[in-house]
């Protein structure tokens, strides 16, 4: 049990950090202490992921949302914010400085305890010495001792080094997803082509929901704030919910020969970034998605940026054809929780 301490934020942070038993078997590996280590860890992660500071001494990019993917954080669920402002994890300290880090983000979903592993980073001068493996092994042991049902992480598909390490530790690929971006282009004036785009297709809501569940599988739904079915539903209840929550949702269904083939919802809430949720009917012509995306671009307010997260490979050309550019492709990997064998916790 964490020791309860008084004293506002300092007390809270201490309570979080001392909840991990100090390590005795290793001189270098110890629990992350938010009060003491946060700055060093942020700098290490920036160095390892973004190359650190530029010649002028400014941070070239930041964990806190200055990079392109960081815009995501403004509308991101608490899970992503926790990833960027880690409270829990382990560091590797050597030569009087922190040269390795792993963050842990615990949360619950439908009664299941899930841990996300993030910010795995080792200083370039200290690589290939087993530091990442030791940190990861400790993080896995931490999650399993706390009865995690599953442990997840995501990694860019081009990061063969890290993927090799994660596979070695028992992580198995579960999904590959690409984040796409495009700017609003009201000048397009809307989609004109082979599909009819229906604005308010209440009668197909059941099907739309089914397709969206395939495109955004429940296995990963803990990571996303959406699909938030209350916000998307096309009835009065959905309208009230959007009003109260301040969401603005535009939705279209692509129809051909009387059959609905795809759905897209553009969700905004007063920021310049709008999030798109899109899905195709099984075996539908992917150009239905192109039509929907062109429609979304032309109906978004000027200077808005549109984000789409979609399963990689399934409709890449159709998404490109609507003027979207890939920002990153992430491989989602999962390791077993408490039921895992001791092999992964060596
Ligand atoms: C990925 C990273 C954390 C590895 O750190 P590390 O301390 O050098 O890794 P380790 O020494 O513990 O190596 C563990 C395993 O990773 C793999 N690996 C590490 N570096 C590798 C390389 N240059 N080439 C191939 N495989 C490599 C190997 O499987 C290795 O096991 P082995 O040494 O028994 O063959 C480090 O390179 C890093 O910080 N990279 C930049 C940030 C990053 O990509 N983080 C992961 C994002 S999800």
């Amino acid at each position: 049990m964490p020791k309860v301490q008084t004293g506002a934020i300092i007390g809270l942070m201490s309570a979080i950090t001392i909840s991990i038993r100090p390590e005795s078997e290793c001189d270098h590996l110890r629990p992350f202490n938010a009060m003491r280590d946060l700055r060093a860890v942020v700098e290490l992660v920036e160095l390892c992921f973004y190359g650190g500071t530029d010649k002028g001494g400014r941070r070239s990019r930041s964990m806190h949302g200055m990079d392109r993917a960081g815009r995501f954080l403004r509308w991101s669920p608490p899970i992503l914010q926790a990833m960027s402002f880690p409270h829990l994890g382990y560091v590797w300290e050597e030569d009087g400085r922190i040269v390795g880090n792993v963050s842990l983000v615990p949360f619950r979903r439908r009664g299941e305890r899930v841990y996300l592993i993030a910010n795995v980073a080792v200083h370039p001068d200290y690589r290939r010495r087993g530091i990442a493996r030791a940190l990861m092994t400790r993080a896995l042991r931490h999650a399993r001792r706390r009865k995690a049902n599953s442990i997840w992480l995501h990694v860019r598909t081009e990061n063969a080094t890290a993927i090799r390490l994660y596979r070695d530790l028992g992580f198995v690929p579960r999904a590959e997803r690409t984040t796409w971006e495009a700017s609003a282009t009201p000048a397009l004036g809307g989609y004109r082509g082979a599909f009819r785009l229906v604005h308010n297709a209440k009668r197909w809501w059941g099907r739309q929901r089914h397709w969206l569940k395939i495109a955004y599988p429940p296995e990963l739904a803990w990571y996303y704030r959406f699909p938030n079915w209350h916000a998307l539903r096309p009835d009065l209840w959905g309208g009230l919910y959007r009003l109260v929550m301040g969401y603005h949702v535009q939705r279209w269904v692509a129809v051909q020969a009387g059959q609905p083939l795809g759905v897209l919802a553009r969700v905004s809430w007063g920021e310049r970034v709008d999030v798109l949720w899109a899905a195709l009917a099984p075996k539908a012509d992917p150009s239905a998605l192109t039509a929907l995306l062109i429609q979304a671009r032309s109906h978004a307010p000027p200077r808005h940026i549109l984000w789409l997260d979609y399963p990689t490979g399934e409709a890449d050309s159709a998404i490109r054809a609507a003027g979207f550019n890939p920002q990153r492709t992430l491989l989602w990997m999962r390791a077993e929780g408490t039921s895992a064998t001791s092999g992964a916790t060596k």
Side-chain angles (χ1 to χ4, degrees), residues 174-200:
R174 300 294 295 200
E176 203 175 305
R177 305 187 65 89
T178 302
T179 306
W180 301 82
E181 184 187 303
S183 54
T185 47
L188 280 177
Y191 166 79
R192 278 176 212 86
F195 299 93
R196 194 162 58 89
L197 301 185
V198 180
H199 208 34
N200 187 6

Side-chain angles (χ1 to χ4, degrees), residues 198-219:
V198 180
H199 208 34
N200 187 6
K202 280 186 195 163
R203 66 187 166 124
W204 292 313
W205 172 234
R207 277 195 246 181
Q208 295 169 37
R209 203 181 145 121
H210 177 65
W211 306 335
L212 284 163
K213 275 192 177 163
I214 296 172
Y216 304 93
E219 188 178 49

Side-chain angles (χ1 to χ4, degrees), residues 164-318:
R164 190 169 152 198
L165 168 65
Y166 300 149
R167 279 187 192 273
D168 250 25
L169 291 169
F171 282 86
V172 175
R174 300 294 295 200
E176 203 175 305
R177 305 187 65 89
T178 302
T179 306
W180 301 82
E181 184 187 303
S183 54
T185 47
L188 280 177
Y191 166 79
R192 278 176 212 86
F195 299 93
R196 194 162 58 89
L197 301 185
V198 180
H199 208 34
N200 187 6
K202 280 186 195 163
R203 66 187 166 124
W204 292 313
W205 172 234
R207 277 195 246 181
Q208 295 169 37
R209 203 181 145 121
H210 177 65
W211 306 335
L212 284 163
K213 275 192 177 163
I214 296 172
Y216 304 93
E219 188 178 49
L220 298 179
W222 50 269
Y223 185 74
Y224 299 102
R225 186 186 283 175
F226 284 91
N228 173 338
W229 305 113
H230 295 308
L232 293 187
R233 46 193 289 179
D235 56 10
L236 185 63
W237 170 249
L240 282 173
Y241 180 85
R242 290 189 285 277
L243 201 65
V244 170
M245 300 303 287
Y247 293 130
H248 178 68
V249 177
Q250 266 188 321
R251 183 213 331 267
W252 295 273
V253 174
V255 182
Q256 201 171 44
Q259 285 305 309
L261 296 179
V263 59
L264 180 144
R266 182 178 70 83
V267 182
S268 54
W269 50 90
E271 297 283 332
R272 270 189 53 220
V273 176
D274 296 347
V275 179
L276 306 180
W277 302 93
L280 286 169
K283 300 197 181 129
D285 176 356
S287 50
L289 185 57
T290 311
L292 290 161
L293 291 168
I294 290 174
Q295 185 78 344
R297 288 187 74 191
S298 37
H299 282 74
R303 293 187 299 282
H304 269 223
I305 303 289
L306 277 61
W307 280 82
L308 172 73
D309 177 284
Y310 206 77
T312 308
E314 287 185 14
D316 287 2
S317 328

